[in-house]
Amino acid sequence: MEDITKERILSAAEELFAEKGYDAVTIREITSKARCNLSLVYYYFGSKKKLYLEVFKEKWASRARELHEAFFDAIEETKPTTLDEVIRILTATYLERKMNAQNLQFHLQLIARELQKPTEALDFVFHEIIKPFFARLEDLIHPFLNPSARKDNIVLSLFSVFAQIVHIINSRHVLPKLLERPFDAKTKELLIQHITTFSMYGMNGLIMQNSRDSFITEGLK
Amino acid sequence: MEDITKERILSAAEELFAEKGYDAVTIREITSKARCNLSLVYYYFGSKKKLYLEVFKEKWASRARELHEAFFDAIEETKPTTLDEVIRILTATYLERKMNAQNLQFHLQLIARELQKPTEALDFVFHEIIKPFFARLEDLIHPFLNPSARKDNIVLSLFSVFAQIVHIINSRHVLPKLLERPFDAKTKELLIQHITTFSMYGMNGLIMQNSRDSFITEGLK
DNA sequence: GTCTATAGCAGGATAGAC
DNA sequence: GTCTATCCTGCTATAGAC
């Protein structure tokens, strides 16, 4: 073995940190899952904290870039003409899986935990990934909006979309009980459909409201 | 001291578990914050796990009932005639503070963590509190809706509202950076206003839509 | 009910052989 | 690069005095 081991440690760590959180995971657990010796974490990364950070720099960041690529590619390809389509593509990027479904889940779980109780990792991720992505998203969306839309409206609407996406992942154990149906593919399809429709109307309504003479009437009426 | 100590332990535990999660908190930390001896946790609760459970049974459940009371009282008082008003009251119950703002924050943080990685506590909380509350909410909302609204639409719309509420609390450290303004009272007002408006249009649109084409999977055009 | 003292052990980290 | 062996801190938990 050489550097494959390092990769195996990172993958095991990502999964365990995502599922249980930093403190609930032991290095013994990680190396056992990665089928290697405990001390290799220290050889490759120096400490548990540094391994955790590296999960974000190596795994999380690159997955995020993949997702953003996929999103902007889909935009390029479909050349949406209404806000509705943009929101649909955004939601689908995060909930339909071109990417492996489980990896996408870990990805969202990890960031959810960082938001809840930020560490150095969030600092890195926010400046390197999230902030630039939001800037691009704002630029993308702006032309679709009536000029009266304020930056606040855009950012908060995006916030609402991501809130729903993250909450689906976070509450995936309870959701089936609330909906009284299993969390299968069909249910997931329903959830995607719901977020898209709900957010589209929400965003359109919001922006129409703070402008009387809207020309974005496509979504409603 | 007598039973006041027990209460102090519960309060300290609630705050720390909410902020850091079960594994990151030590009993030493809890008892130090509660200004009492470490062994009293074992005297009163038996173990760390049992203390955690008791936080939900004693603190979380009663706070939830308070909130639900406050919500249904406000409904009684204002006698809303449109869906918009109901949603506004729901959002305001969870984000404006009649209740101490910090306690409300702990309340939401605690349940967010339980959703993420459920324990025995969620089982209790779901059956005793959440499920009955959702049932009452559905009954309340149903008359305001167009008869074509399905149970799924209602549950998912409520889900979207709570998603946004919880996400505001969870990402409160990052939100100011995204909005480029401090997380002060004025910003909080803006957030409440946003969730209310966004959700109101989202929910109305959603229900109008499926009254139009009678099944949701058909999508939009 | 509250305290002291301590058992018992898990988990992060390091030294050093191969 | 990978492994064994071990250190040591800090944790949950208990026994027992007051």
Side-chain angles (χ1 to χ4, degrees), chain A:
Chain A
M1 302 290 162
E2 348 93 66
D3 253 24
I4 297 170
T5 305
K6 190 176 177 183
E7 179 52 34
R8 278 214 316 278
I9 294 174
L10 277 170
S11 286
E14 179 191 30
E15 177 167 347
L16 288 167
F17 285 143
E19 276 182 347
K20 308 174 149 206
Y22 181 84
D23 296 283
V25 175
T26 68
I27 294 184
R28 284 168 171 78
E29 207 177 348
I30 294 169
T31 50
S32 158
K33 192 179 187 92
R35 298 189 311 284
C36 73
N37 191 274
L38 181 154
S39 61
L40 289 182
V41 162
Y42 300 95
Y43 174 74
Y44 283 115
F45 304 99
S47 73
K48 187 184 176 186
K49 272 227 126 62
K50 284 178 187 167
L51 165 59
Y52 180 75
L53 239 172
E54 216 56 25
V55 166
F56 278 86
K57 294 198 172 174
E58 290 296 317
K59 307 281 287 187
W60 200 93
S62 64
R63 233 190 276 289
R65 287 192 195 99
E66 253 182 83
L67 280 165
H68 302 169
E69 283 302 319
F71 170 71
F72 285 108
D73 284 357
I75 292 288
E76 273 304 304
E77 202 183 319
T78 54
K79 305 232 182 261
T81 55
T82 61
L83 182 61
D84 325 6
E85 294 175 67
V86 178
I87 295 178
R88 178 180 306 274
I89 292 170
L90 181 62
T91 308
T93 300
Y94 278 89
L95 285 175
E96 259 162 20
R97 91 297 326 295
K98 323 260 147 124
M99 188 180 290
N100 175 317
Q102 189 136 52
N103 286 342
L104 197 43
Q105 184 185 300
F106 297 151
H107 186 77
L108 291 168
Q109 281 178 286
L110 274 175
I111 194 64
R113 290 189 181 281
E114 267 301 308
L115 290 175
Q116 240 168 19
K117 185 163 171 288
T119 70
E120 206 184 327
L122 184 60
D123 235 71
F124 163 79
V125 153
F126 181 77
H127 287 105
E128 298 294 319
I129 313 280
I130 295 177
K131 207 174 163 186
F133 181 53
F134 262 72
R136 281 181 80 187
L137 272 180
E138 284 172 47
D139 289 346
L140 172 70
I141 286 180
H142 204 261
F144 292 95
L145 301 178
N146 165 319
S148 76
R150 292 193 328 252
K151 186 183 146 94
D152 276 358
N153 295 131
I154 305 176
V155 175
L156 287 176
S157 295
L158 291 171
F159 172 87
S160 291
V161 174
F162 283 113
Q164 293 172 85
I165 291 171
V166 170
H167 200 53
I168 281 189
I169 300 298
N170 276 349
S171 62
R172 94 206 89 101
H173 295 112
V174 187
L175 213 43
K177 292 186 199 165
L178 264 185
L179 293 171
E180 290 169 354
R181 53 191 288 174
F183 200 8
D184 54 14
K186 223 179 135 192
T187 302
K188 200 160 180 185
E189 197 46 56
L190 177 72
L191 290 166
I192 294 172
Q193 185 58 45
H194 168 75
I195 292 187
T196 305
T197 310
F198 187 91
S199 303
M200 181 198 85
Y201 282 113
M203 197 158 170
N204 264 335
L206 191 72
I207 280 149
M208 272 165 53
Q209 178 182 294
N210 76 356
S211 71
R212 291 302 132 85
D213 32 47
S214 160
F215 52 79
I216 307 174
T217 49
E218 207 85 57
L220 292 168
K221 94 160 168 241

